[in-house]
């Protein structure tokens, strides 16, 4: 597993009742409160991005994408036939 330095923070305010609910859910999943919140919010965020057709690319993926746009491969026979 990759060691990622976590240096960013997000602070939220919530009611005591809401916190207890989240703590209980984290507990039954054998997760810390922070891990539980991060795991679930990342799932929701990724679903939202996917729902709106947004794709996140890392630097290598972006370079490959730009390279394919600027230097597309030559069409193969199947592709040529498809457009006849």
């Amino acid at each position: 597993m990759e060691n990622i330095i976590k240096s960013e923070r997000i602070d939220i305010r919530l009611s005591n009742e809401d916190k207890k609910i989240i703590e209980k859910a984290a507990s039954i999943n054998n997760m810390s409160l922070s891990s539980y919140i991060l795991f679930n919010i990342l799932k929701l965020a990724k679903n939202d991005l996917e729902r709106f057709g947004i794709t996140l690319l890392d630097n290598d993926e972006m370079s490959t994408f730009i390279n394919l746009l600027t230097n597309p491969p030559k069409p193969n026979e199947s592709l040529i036939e498809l457009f006849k």
Side-chain angles (χ1 to χ4, degrees):
M1 183 182 239
E2 187 177 333
N3 250 351
I4 298 174
I5 297 172
K6 297 180 180 180
S7 60
E8 300 299 320
R9 294 182 54 91
I10 296 175
D11 295 315
I12 60 171
R13 294 203 179 274
L14 65 162
S15 69
N16 187 47
E17 181 181 325
D18 288 345
K19 184 177 180 189
K20 285 181 181 179
I21 291 169
I22 297 169
E23 286 174 329
K24 185 65 172 175
S27 176
I28 63 174
N29 282 285
N30 199 30
M31 298 173 83
S32 70
L33 184 60
S34 292
S35 294
Y36 180 80
I37 291 170
L38 181 59
F39 175 79
N40 284 289
I41 200 66
L42 279 174
K43 255 193 324 191
L44 287 171
K46 288 175 183 178
N47 285 340
D48 284 346
L49 293 174
E50 185 177 307
R51 189 165 47 101
F52 285 95
I54 298 170
T55 302
L56 300 177
L57 303 176
D58 64 25
N59 288 339
D60 289 338
E61 293 167 330
M62 181 58 85
S63 293
T64 300
F65 179 72
I66 297 297
N67 186 45
L68 286 170
L69 285 177
T70 55
N71 303 301
K74 292 183 180 179
N76 61 27
E77 280 300 316
S78 299
L79 187 60
I80 293 169
E81 284 299 315
L82 182 66
F83 284 94
K84 281 187 178 180

